[in-house]
Amino acid sequence: MLAQHLQPRGIDDRRVLDAMSQVPREKFVSLDQQSLAYNDCALPIGYNQTISQPFTVAYMCQAAQLKGDENVLEVGTGSGYGAAVLSLLASEVHTVERIPEFKKQATERLHRFGYSNVHIHTADGNQGVQEAAPYDVIIVTAGAASLPEPYRNQLKPDGRIIIPIGTEHTGQTMYRFTLKNGELSEENLGAFTFVPLIGEYGWPV
Ligand code: SAH
């Protein structure tokens, strides 16, 4: 997967490549999807949701510029795969999911495979997770309609927010917002497709 899908598309952060090669993606999908786990595509995980494409996970992790000592918030736990990858790249990972069944499944998986620095919250990710703030990085794995306002106050100085934002349900632009001297600067990281972020800064159910 690394040689075929990640390195040719510009993933060159050694730590990201190592983390991607260590996490067994097939263990985060259902039995009938396992043979497809190493194709570079999103796969259904139930409740109309998907596990992100490996390239997208790697790309967001690389954009987050993680060195290993960060406190990270992931919005949209889903299968728990992205959180598992992040757990190898940062010191603490908080991940928030609105569907309780996903929290249950992901907790069981992450525990079974020993990803002990991941903390899963069931809540509305539009609000961030105040109790574990501030974060070095907030990564949003569902497509928003605008940048959720609560995130800024949950970010450390020099913190980054990696988030897909789009005016439609079906296509987004990925942005990196960086907090410098109290101001958020914005970089466009290209076009992507995510399932919708549900709620205040996203879309209705
Ligand atoms: N990172 C996940 C990708 C999951 S897809 C993985 O590796 O599998 C996006 C997830 O965001 C879905 O599970 C969806 O239920 C969740 N989501 C959507 N809106 C949300 C919200 N407002 N708060 C928390 N989670 C949300």
Side-chain angles (χ1 to χ4, degrees):
M1 181 169 79
L2 301 184
Q4 227 187 323
H5 301 304
L6 302 184
Q7 284 167 319
R9 296 181 69 187
I11 306 300
D12 56 9
D13 181 327
R14 199 60 250 171
R15 298 183 69 245
V16 172
L17 290 168
D18 285 348
M20 293 296 296
S21 68
Q22 280 178 48
V23 179
R25 190 170 186 252
E26 77 280 4
K27 299 291 199 305
F28 291 82
V29 296
S30 57
L31 276 178
D32 57 328
Q33 301 287 335
Q34 282 189 356
S35 63
L36 303 173
Y38 290 99
N39 294 355
D40 192 29
C41 57
L43 295 172
I45 55 172
Y47 300 90
N48 266 334
Q49 305 301 319
T50 55
I51 178 171
S52 304
Q53 195 182 336
F55 171 72
T56 307
V57 175
Y59 188 83
M60 293 182 99
C61 288
Q62 179 161 292
Q65 301 165 323
L66 296 165
K67 300 281 179 272
D69 58 356
E70 294 87 355
N71 186 32
V72 175
L73 174 66
E74 178 196 43
V75 176
T77 311
S79 66
Y81 174 72
V85 175
L86 285 167
S87 80
L88 300 178
L89 294 169
S91 129
E92 296 298 324
V93 178
H94 291 268
T95 177
V96 56
E97 172 58 55
R98 59 183 284 275
I99 299 176
E101 184 58 27
F102 282 155
K103 175 184 175 176
K104 211 173 127 209
Q105 283 177 16
T107 303
E108 197 269 317
R109 278 180 187 138
L110 292 163
H111 179 72
R112 179 152 30 111
F113 301 122
Y115 299 105
S116 55
N117 57 342
V118 180
H119 315 275
I120 310 184
H121 307 257
T122 310
D124 175 11
N126 285 279
Q127 304 309 318
V129 174
Q130 182 64 50
E131 72 215 58
Y135 303 101
D136 298 278
V137 167
I138 299 176
I139 289 190
V140 183
T141 69
S146 62
L147 179 68
E149 278 176 30
Y151 292 0
R152 182 204 181 95
N153 288 337
Q154 296 183 20
L155 212 53
K156 292 183 192 172
D158 297 322
R160 282 87 63 201
I161 303 170
I162 315 295
I163 181 170
I165 300 178
T167 50
E168 287 178 33
H169 238 110
T170 46
Q172 298 87 24
T173 302
M174 182 113 59
Y175 292 95
R176 173 169 55 207
F177 292 91
T178 305
L179 187 61
K180 277 242 185 293
N181 305 322
E183 296 284 323
L184 278 179
S185 66
E186 154 192 329
E187 291 159 88
N188 180 328
L189 303 181
F192 286 83
T193 306
F194 283 81
V195 296
L197 178 76
I198 303 299
E200 189 175 352
Y201 300 96
W203 310 94
V205 183

